[in-house]
Amino acid sequence: MSFISVLAAIGKGFEKGLKWAITYAVPVERLVALLFPAAAPAAAELADATALIQNAVLLVEQKYAASGIQSGTGPQKLAEVLVLTQQAVTALLAKGNIQADTTYIANIVSAVVAILNVQQSQIPTKA
């Protein structure tokens, strides 16, 4: 199943999933605050940085999918995600006492992409 198919499937089930998430899901920052009160301030900053990166990755992927040029564009996509996120992510990570340079943030972006790719491979296909 391609990333585009995954995005289409997400769109189709978005309303149903959103209702469930709003009803039952607990934000990760709240869970961390409850389980590890001393780490809560840093966890919120790290979660914000991760969410920002994930949203930028999805935005850039959607842009390339819409233009039909997804294959072989990894370096360009990474560069776009860095332009969109680097300054804010650097500031958020600094609040969590993590000093990050471009390489560090690029590695986080690559990890987010890898996780999204793993997630897409676990979505069952309809027979």
Side-chain angles (χ1 to χ4, degrees):
M1 178 176 259
S2 72
F3 192 69
I4 304 299
S5 300
V6 171
L7 289 176
I10 290 170
K12 290 178 183 175
F14 182 75
E15 184 178 0
K16 185 177 181 180
L18 182 61
K19 287 179 184 176
W20 178 88
I22 290 171
T23 304
Y24 298 104
V26 175
V28 69
E29 297 89 349
R30 181 155 169 78
L31 285 175
V32 170
L34 292 169
L35 297 172
F36 309 102
E45 305 301 340
L46 300 177
D48 289 346
T50 305
L52 180 63
I53 289 171
Q54 179 173 270
N55 291 339
V57 166
L58 293 172
L59 178 71
V60 170
E61 283 293 339
Q62 287 175 332
K63 173 187 165 187
Y64 277 79
S67 64
I69 51 171
Q70 297 157 279
S71 298
T73 55
Q76 293 90 346
K77 292 176 189 175
L78 174 60
E80 285 191 41
V81 171
L82 288 173
V83 166
L84 291 170
T85 64
Q86 186 169 0
Q87 187 175 2
V89 168
T90 300
L92 288 167
L93 293 178
K95 289 181 181 179
N97 294 322
I98 297 173
Q99 300 307 314
D101 60 7
T102 302
T103 302
Y104 188 89
I105 295 172
N107 288 338
I108 294 172
V109 171
S110 295
V112 168
V113 169
I115 290 168
L116 290 171
N117 286 334
V118 168
Q119 291 296 328
Q120 94 171 9
S121 70
Q122 295 177 352
I123 295 174
T125 58
K126 292 182 180 179

mmCIF file of all heavy atoms in Angstrom, residues 81-124:
data_model
loop_
_atom_site.group_PDB
_atom_site.id
_atom_site.type_symbol
_atom_site.label_atom_id
_atom_site.label_comp_id
_atom_site.label_asym_id
_atom_site.label_seq_id
_atom_site.Cartn_x
_atom_site.Cartn_y
_atom_site.Cartn_z
ATOM 1 N N VAL A 81 11.258 20.097 4.676
ATOM 2 C CA VAL A 81 10.846 19.905 6.071
ATOM 3 C C VAL A 81 11.771 20.708 6.993
ATOM 4 O O VAL A 81 11.303 21.352 7.938
ATOM 5 C CB VAL A 81 10.825 18.409 6.452
ATOM 6 C CG1 VAL A 81 10.619 18.230 7.962
ATOM 7 C CG2 VAL A 81 9.733 17.677 5.679
ATOM 8 N N LEU A 82 13.061 20.707 6.699
ATOM 9 C CA LEU A 82 13.997 21.482 7.525
ATOM 10 C C LEU A 82 13.704 22.977 7.444
ATOM 11 O O LEU A 82 13.750 23.671 8.471
ATOM 12 C CB LEU A 82 15.440 21.182 7.119
ATOM 13 C CG LEU A 82 15.960 19.812 7.518
ATOM 14 C CD1 LEU A 82 17.341 19.560 6.916
ATOM 15 C CD2 LEU A 82 15.993 19.641 9.027
ATOM 16 N N VAL A 83 13.397 23.475 6.258
ATOM 17 C CA VAL A 83 13.067 24.895 6.119
ATOM 18 C C VAL A 83 11.831 25.229 6.952
ATOM 19 O O VAL A 83 11.779 26.265 7.622
ATOM 20 C CB VAL A 83 12.839 25.269 4.627
ATOM 21 C CG1 VAL A 83 12.162 26.624 4.492
ATOM 22 C CG2 VAL A 83 14.163 25.254 3.877
ATOM 23 N N LEU A 84 10.849 24.325 6.933
ATOM 24 C CA LEU A 84 9.608 24.570 7.661
ATOM 25 C C LEU A 84 9.763 24.462 9.181
ATOM 26 O O LEU A 84 9.032 25.114 9.922
ATOM 27 C CB LEU A 84 8.530 23.569 7.210
ATOM 28 C CG LEU A 84 8.000 23.726 5.785
ATOM 29 C CD1 LEU A 84 7.134 22.540 5.417
ATOM 30 C CD2 LEU A 84 7.232 25.027 5.646
ATOM 31 N N THR A 85 10.694 23.636 9.648
ATOM 32 C CA THR A 85 10.702 23.302 11.069
ATOM 33 C C THR A 85 11.958 23.650 11.860
ATOM 34 O O THR A 85 11.887 23.760 13.077
ATOM 35 C CB THR A 85 10.474 21.784 11.251
ATOM 36 O OG1 THR A 85 11.571 21.060 10.666
ATOM 37 C CG2 THR A 85 9.163 21.336 10.661
ATOM 38 N N GLN A 86 13.089 23.767 11.214
ATOM 39 C CA GLN A 86 14.357 23.809 11.947
ATOM 40 C C GLN A 86 14.418 24.875 13.033
ATOM 41 O O GLN A 86 14.803 24.581 14.169
ATOM 42 C CB GLN A 86 15.533 23.974 10.994
ATOM 43 C CG GLN A 86 16.864 23.876 11.726
ATOM 44 C CD GLN A 86 18.038 23.769 10.794
ATOM 45 O OE1 GLN A 86 17.899 23.768 9.580
ATOM 46 N NE2 GLN A 86 19.217 23.692 11.366
ATOM 47 N N GLN A 87 14.041 26.070 12.736
ATOM 48 C CA GLN A 87 14.153 27.144 13.726
ATOM 49 C C GLN A 87 13.277 26.864 14.952
ATOM 50 O O GLN A 87 13.735 26.969 16.096
ATOM 51 C CB GLN A 87 13.780 28.483 13.098
ATOM 52 C CG GLN A 87 14.023 29.652 14.007
ATOM 53 C CD GLN A 87 13.754 30.982 13.307
ATOM 54 O OE1 GLN A 87 13.346 31.033 12.152
ATOM 55 N NE2 GLN A 87 13.990 32.067 14.015
ATOM 56 N N ALA A 88 12.025 26.501 14.721
ATOM 57 C CA ALA A 88 11.117 26.237 15.842
ATOM 58 C C ALA A 88 11.528 24.993 16.615
ATOM 59 O O ALA A 88 11.491 24.981 17.852
ATOM 60 C CB ALA A 88 9.687 26.098 15.337
ATOM 61 N N VAL A 89 11.919 23.941 15.906
ATOM 62 C CA VAL A 89 12.321 22.700 16.576
ATOM 63 C C VAL A 89 13.576 22.929 17.413
ATOM 64 O O VAL A 89 13.666 22.452 18.541
ATOM 65 C CB VAL A 89 12.514 21.556 15.554
ATOM 66 C CG1 VAL A 89 13.210 20.362 16.173
ATOM 67 C CG2 VAL A 89 11.170 21.140 14.972
ATOM 68 N N THR A 90 14.520 23.673 16.873
ATOM 69 C CA THR A 90 15.737 23.980 17.635
ATOM 70 C C THR A 90 15.385 24.687 18.936
ATOM 71 O O THR A 90 15.912 24.344 20.003
ATOM 72 C CB THR A 90 16.698 24.841 16.793
ATOM 73 O OG1 THR A 90 17.049 24.125 15.607
ATOM 74 C CG2 THR A 90 17.966 25.168 17.568
ATOM 75 N N ALA A 91 14.478 25.648 18.879
ATOM 76 C CA ALA A 91 14.072 26.397 20.075
ATOM 77 C C ALA A 91 13.334 25.491 21.065
ATOM 78 O O ALA A 91 13.573 25.556 22.273
ATOM 79 C CB ALA A 91 13.193 27.575 19.687
ATOM 80 N N LEU A 92 12.443 24.648 20.560
ATOM 81 C CA LEU A 92 11.691 23.741 21.447
ATOM 82 C C LEU A 92 12.622 22.737 22.116
ATOM 83 O O LEU A 92 12.499 22.481 23.324
ATOM 84 C CB LEU A 92 10.602 23.008 20.662
ATOM 85 C CG LEU A 92 9.407 23.845 20.246
ATOM 86 C CD1 LEU A 92 8.561 23.107 19.218
ATOM 87 C CD2 LEU A 92 8.568 24.224 21.461
ATOM 88 N N LEU A 93 13.548 22.174 21.357
ATOM 89 C CA LEU A 93 14.480 21.215 21.944
ATOM 90 C C LEU A 93 15.397 21.885 22.956
ATOM 91 O O LEU A 93 15.728 21.284 23.987
ATOM 92 C CB LEU A 93 15.289 20.525 20.845
ATOM 93 C CG LEU A 93 14.502 19.602 19.909
ATOM 94 C CD1 LEU A 93 15.419 19.034 18.832
ATOM 95 C CD2 LEU A 93 13.801 18.502 20.663
ATOM 96 N N ALA A 94 15.776 23.122 22.705
ATOM 97 C CA ALA A 94 16.619 23.845 23.660
ATOM 98 C C ALA A 94 15.907 24.011 24.993
ATOM 99 O O ALA A 94 16.527 23.921 26.051
ATOM 100 C CB ALA A 94 17.024 25.204 23.084
ATOM 101 N N LYS A 95 14.577 24.233 24.949
ATOM 102 C CA LYS A 95 13.812 24.320 26.193
ATOM 103 C C LYS A 95 13.827 23.000 26.949
ATOM 104 O O LYS A 95 13.673 22.978 28.165
ATOM 105 C CB LYS A 95 12.371 24.735 25.907
ATOM 106 C CG LYS A 95 12.229 26.172 25.473
ATOM 107 C CD LYS A 95 10.774 26.511 25.223
ATOM 108 C CE LYS A 95 10.610 27.936 24.768
ATOM 109 N NZ LYS A 95 9.189 28.260 24.510
ATOM 110 N N GLY A 96 13.995 21.901 26.222
ATOM 111 C CA GLY A 96 14.102 20.582 26.844
ATOM 112 C C GLY A 96 15.541 20.192 27.113
ATOM 113 O O GLY A 96 15.855 19.023 27.311
ATOM 114 N N ASN A 97 16.442 21.181 27.075
ATOM 115 C CA ASN A 97 17.874 20.986 27.326
ATOM 116 C C ASN A 97 18.553 20.078 26.312
ATOM 117 O O ASN A 97 19.467 19.324 26.652
ATOM 118 C CB ASN A 97 18.129 20.485 28.752
ATOM 119 C CG ASN A 97 17.763 21.519 29.777
ATOM 120 O OD1 ASN A 97 17.993 22.715 29.562
ATOM 121 N ND2 ASN A 97 17.154 21.094 30.861
ATOM 122 N N ILE A 98 18.100 20.134 25.062
ATOM 123 C CA ILE A 98 18.730 19.378 23.984
ATOM 124 C C ILE A 98 19.228 20.382 22.959
ATOM 125 O O ILE A 98 18.445 21.142 22.389
ATOM 126 C CB ILE A 98 17.734 18.401 23.321
ATOM 127 C CG1 ILE A 98 17.277 17.356 24.337
ATOM 128 C CG2 ILE A 98 18.361 17.740 22.095
ATOM 129 C CD1 ILE A 98 16.170 16.463 23.828
ATOM 130 N N GLN A 99 20.537 20.399 22.773
ATOM 131 C CA GLN A 99 21.130 21.287 21.776
ATOM 132 C C GLN A 99 21.160 20.540 20.440
ATOM 133 O O GLN A 99 21.770 19.487 20.327
ATOM 134 C CB GLN A 99 22.540 21.700 22.195
ATOM 135 C CG GLN A 99 22.582 22.436 23.523
ATOM 136 C CD GLN A 99 21.636 23.630 23.571
ATOM 137 O OE1 GLN A 99 21.580 24.438 22.649
ATOM 138 N NE2 GLN A 99 20.870 23.737 24.647
ATOM 139 N N ALA A 100 20.485 21.073 19.439
ATOM 140 C CA ALA A 100 20.340 20.382 18.161
ATOM 141 C C ALA A 100 20.861 21.229 17.015
ATOM 142 O O ALA A 100 20.558 22.418 16.937
ATOM 143 C CB ALA A 100 18.873 20.053 17.927
ATOM 144 N N ASP A 101 21.642 20.591 16.146
ATOM 145 C CA ASP A 101 22.073 21.250 14.921
ATOM 146 C C ASP A 101 21.280 20.665 13.748
ATOM 147 O O ASP A 101 20.389 19.832 13.939
ATOM 148 C CB ASP A 101 23.584 21.090 14.717
ATOM 149 C CG ASP A 101 24.022 19.636 14.614
ATOM 150 O OD1 ASP A 101 23.156 18.733 14.565
ATOM 151 O OD2 ASP A 101 25.242 19.400 14.556
ATOM 152 N N THR A 102 21.600 21.091 12.546
ATOM 153 C CA THR A 102 20.870 20.645 11.363
ATOM 154 C C THR A 102 20.921 19.125 11.210
ATOM 155 O O THR A 102 19.906 18.496 10.898
ATOM 156 C CB THR A 102 21.429 21.319 10.092
ATOM 157 O OG1 THR A 102 21.333 22.735 10.254
ATOM 158 C CG2 THR A 102 20.670 20.898 8.857
ATOM 159 N N THR A 103 22.068 18.528 11.436
ATOM 160 C CA THR A 103 22.203 17.074 11.298
ATOM 161 C C THR A 103 21.321 16.345 12.298
ATOM 162 O O THR A 103 20.648 15.362 11.957
ATOM 163 C CB THR A 103 23.677 16.655 11.486
ATOM 164 O OG1 THR A 103 24.472 17.335 10.513
ATOM 165 C CG2 THR A 103 23.850 15.158 11.336
ATOM 166 N N TYR A 104 21.285 16.826 13.518
ATOM 167 C CA TYR A 104 20.458 16.206 14.555
ATOM 168 C C TYR A 104 18.976 16.264 14.169
ATOM 169 O O TYR A 104 18.265 15.266 14.254
ATOM 170 C CB TYR A 104 20.694 16.922 15.894
ATOM 171 C CG TYR A 104 20.036 16.266 17.080
ATOM 172 C CD1 TYR A 104 20.694 15.279 17.808
ATOM 173 C CD2 TYR A 104 18.751 16.637 17.482
ATOM 174 C CE1 TYR A 104 20.101 14.680 18.906
ATOM 175 C CE2 TYR A 104 18.147 16.033 18.580
ATOM 176 C CZ TYR A 104 18.830 15.061 19.288
ATOM 177 O OH TYR A 104 18.226 14.467 20.368
ATOM 178 N N ILE A 105 18.541 17.424 13.720
ATOM 179 C CA ILE A 105 17.131 17.573 13.336
ATOM 180 C C ILE A 105 16.824 16.747 12.084
ATOM 181 O O ILE A 105 15.765 16.119 12.000
ATOM 182 C CB ILE A 105 16.766 19.057 13.155
ATOM 183 C CG1 ILE A 105 16.892 19.772 14.509
ATOM 184 C CG2 ILE A 105 15.354 19.209 12.596
ATOM 185 C CD1 ILE A 105 16.759 21.256 14.454
ATOM 186 N N ALA A 106 17.749 16.693 11.146
ATOM 187 C CA ALA A 106 17.560 15.860 9.950
ATOM 188 C C ALA A 106 17.414 14.392 10.349
ATOM 189 O O ALA A 106 16.603 13.663 9.757
ATOM 190 C CB ALA A 106 18.718 16.040 8.980
ATOM 191 N N ASN A 107 18.165 13.962 11.345
ATOM 192 C CA ASN A 107 18.046 12.580 11.834
ATOM 193 C C ASN A 107 16.677 12.334 12.469
ATOM 194 O O ASN A 107 16.100 11.258 12.315
ATOM 195 C CB ASN A 107 19.160 12.253 12.822
ATOM 196 C CG ASN A 107 20.502 12.100 12.144
ATOM 197 O OD1 ASN A 107 20.586 11.830 10.944
ATOM 198 N ND2 ASN A 107 21.563 12.299 12.898
ATOM 199 N N ILE A 108 16.155 13.320 13.181
ATOM 200 C CA ILE A 108 14.811 13.185 13.763
ATOM 201 C C ILE A 108 13.779 13.099 12.639
ATOM 202 O O ILE A 108 12.874 12.262 12.686
ATOM 203 C CB ILE A 108 14.490 14.364 14.699
ATOM 204 C CG1 ILE A 108 15.402 14.353 15.924
ATOM 205 C CG2 ILE A 108 13.023 14.297 15.142
ATOM 206 C CD1 ILE A 108 15.272 15.583 16.802
ATOM 207 N N VAL A 109 13.924 13.942 11.626
ATOM 208 C CA VAL A 109 13.000 13.906 10.483
ATOM 209 C C VAL A 109 13.046 12.531 9.831
ATOM 210 O O VAL A 109 12.003 11.925 9.555
ATOM 211 C CB VAL A 109 13.333 15.014 9.455
ATOM 212 C CG1 VAL A 109 12.515 14.834 8.185
ATOM 213 C CG2 VAL A 109 13.105 16.395 10.059
ATOM 214 N N SER A 110 14.232 12.004 9.624
ATOM 215 C CA SER A 110 14.368 10.679 9.018
ATOM 216 C C SER A 110 13.724 9.600 9.883
ATOM 217 O O SER A 110 13.097 8.672 9.362
ATOM 218 C CB SER A 110 15.846 10.348 8.784
ATOM 219 O OG SER A 110 16.396 11.239 7.842
ATOM 220 N N ALA A 111 13.849 9.729 11.187
ATOM 221 C CA ALA A 111 13.223 8.767 12.095
ATOM 222 C C ALA A 111 11.703 8.852 12.015
ATOM 223 O O ALA A 111 11.009 7.826 11.987
ATOM 224 C CB ALA A 111 13.695 9.008 13.531
ATOM 225 N N VAL A 112 11.169 10.062 11.952
ATOM 226 C CA VAL A 112 9.715 10.237 11.831
ATOM 227 C C VAL A 112 9.230 9.612 10.524
ATOM 228 O O VAL A 112 8.230 8.899 10.502
ATOM 229 C CB VAL A 112 9.328 11.729 11.928
ATOM 230 C CG1 VAL A 112 7.881 11.947 11.516
ATOM 231 C CG2 VAL A 112 9.561 12.247 13.339
ATOM 232 N N VAL A 113 9.956 9.854 9.428
ATOM 233 C CA VAL A 113 9.587 9.268 8.140
ATOM 234 C C VAL A 113 9.624 7.738 8.225
ATOM 235 O O VAL A 113 8.715 7.065 7.743
ATOM 236 C CB VAL A 113 10.509 9.789 7.008
ATOM 237 C CG1 VAL A 113 10.311 8.999 5.719
ATOM 238 C CG2 VAL A 113 10.260 11.269 6.779
ATOM 239 N N ALA A 114 10.656 7.204 8.854
ATOM 240 C CA ALA A 114 10.762 5.746 8.990
ATOM 241 C C ALA A 114 9.589 5.179 9.786
ATOM 242 O O ALA A 114 9.022 4.139 9.418
ATOM 243 C CB ALA A 114 12.092 5.374 9.653
ATOM 244 N N ILE A 115 9.210 5.858 10.845
ATOM 245 C CA ILE A 115 8.080 5.396 11.662
ATOM 246 C C ILE A 115 6.787 5.466 10.857
ATOM 247 O O ILE A 115 5.978 4.535 10.889
ATOM 248 C CB ILE A 115 7.977 6.207 12.969
ATOM 249 C CG1 ILE A 115 9.152 5.852 13.879
ATOM 250 C CG2 ILE A 115 6.646 5.969 13.663
ATOM 251 C CD1 ILE A 115 9.337 6.773 15.051
ATOM 252 N N LEU A 116 6.592 6.533 10.105
ATOM 253 C CA LEU A 116 5.397 6.645 9.263
ATOM 254 C C LEU A 116 5.375 5.530 8.215
ATOM 255 O O LEU A 116 4.322 4.960 7.934
ATOM 256 C CB LEU A 116 5.332 8.013 8.587
ATOM 257 C CG LEU A 116 5.037 9.187 9.520
ATOM 258 C CD1 LEU A 116 5.205 10.504 8.782
ATOM 259 C CD2 LEU A 116 3.654 9.077 10.125
ATOM 260 N N ASN A 117 6.549 5.200 7.662
ATOM 261 C CA ASN A 117 6.613 4.114 6.684
ATOM 262 C C ASN A 117 6.288 2.765 7.319
ATOM 263 O O ASN A 117 5.616 1.934 6.713
ATOM 264 C CB ASN A 117 7.985 4.074 6.009
ATOM 265 C CG ASN A 117 8.165 5.194 5.022
ATOM 266 O OD1 ASN A 117 7.202 5.716 4.474
ATOM 267 N ND2 ASN A 117 9.399 5.594 4.797
ATOM 268 N N VAL A 118 6.751 2.551 8.541
ATOM 269 C CA VAL A 118 6.426 1.303 9.250
ATOM 270 C C VAL A 118 4.933 1.246 9.530
ATOM 271 O O VAL A 118 4.298 0.206 9.344
ATOM 272 C CB VAL A 118 7.237 1.183 10.561
ATOM 273 C CG1 VAL A 118 6.705 0.079 11.441
ATOM 274 C CG2 VAL A 118 8.707 0.952 10.249
ATOM 275 N N GLN A 119 4.369 2.356 9.959
ATOM 276 C CA GLN A 119 2.940 2.391 10.246
ATOM 277 C C GLN A 119 2.125 2.068 9.005
ATOM 278 O O GLN A 119 1.137 1.365 9.073
ATOM 279 C CB GLN A 119 2.526 3.766 10.796
ATOM 280 C CG GLN A 119 3.067 4.059 12.163
ATOM 281 C CD GLN A 119 2.538 3.111 13.220
ATOM 282 O OE1 GLN A 119 1.431 2.642 13.154
ATOM 283 N NE2 GLN A 119 3.361 2.824 14.203
ATOM 284 N N GLN A 120 2.534 2.596 7.862
ATOM 285 C CA GLN A 120 1.785 2.342 6.630
ATOM 286 C C GLN A 120 1.849 0.882 6.250
ATOM 287 O O GLN A 120 0.914 0.332 5.716
ATOM 288 C CB GLN A 120 2.279 3.220 5.496
ATOM 289 C CG GLN A 120 3.313 2.579 4.628
ATOM 290 C CD GLN A 120 3.634 3.361 3.391
ATOM 291 O OE1 GLN A 120 3.208 4.482 3.227
ATOM 292 N NE2 GLN A 120 4.416 2.784 2.537
ATOM 293 N N SER A 121 2.961 0.210 6.525
ATOM 294 C CA SER A 121 3.085 -1.199 6.165
ATOM 295 C C SER A 121 2.252 -2.093 7.072
ATOM 296 O O SER A 121 2.000 -3.235 6.746
ATOM 297 C CB SER A 121 4.543 -1.635 6.192
ATOM 298 O OG SER A 121 5.028 -1.666 7.515
ATOM 299 N N GLN A 122 1.812 -1.579 8.199
ATOM 300 C CA GLN A 122 1.010 -2.373 9.125
ATOM 301 C C GLN A 122 -0.483 -2.208 8.904
ATOM 302 O O GLN A 122 -1.269 -2.873 9.554
ATOM 303 C CB GLN A 122 1.344 -1.997 10.568
ATOM 304 C CG GLN A 122 2.760 -2.353 10.945
ATOM 305 C CD GLN A 122 3.108 -1.923 12.351
ATOM 306 O OE1 GLN A 122 2.357 -1.227 13.010
ATOM 307 N NE2 GLN A 122 4.258 -2.343 12.827
ATOM 308 N N ILE A 123 -0.888 -1.339 7.980
ATOM 309 C CA ILE A 123 -2.305 -1.146 7.691
ATOM 310 C C ILE A 123 -2.756 -2.295 6.797
ATOM 311 O O ILE A 123 -2.175 -2.505 5.727
ATOM 312 C CB ILE A 123 -2.567 0.208 7.009
ATOM 313 C CG1 ILE A 123 -2.208 1.342 7.980
ATOM 314 C CG2 ILE A 123 -4.007 0.318 6.552
ATOM 315 C CD1 ILE A 123 -2.291 2.717 7.373
ATOM 316 N N PRO A 124 -3.737 -3.074 7.223
ATOM 317 C CA PRO A 124 -4.165 -4.211 6.418
ATOM 318 C C PRO A 124 -4.802 -3.747 5.099
ATOM 319 O O PRO A 124 -5.526 -2.753 5.065
ATOM 320 C CB PRO A 124 -5.190 -4.929 7.292
ATOM 321 C CG PRO A 124 -5.607 -3.936 8.316
ATOM 322 C CD PRO A 124 -4.501 -2.930 8.438
#
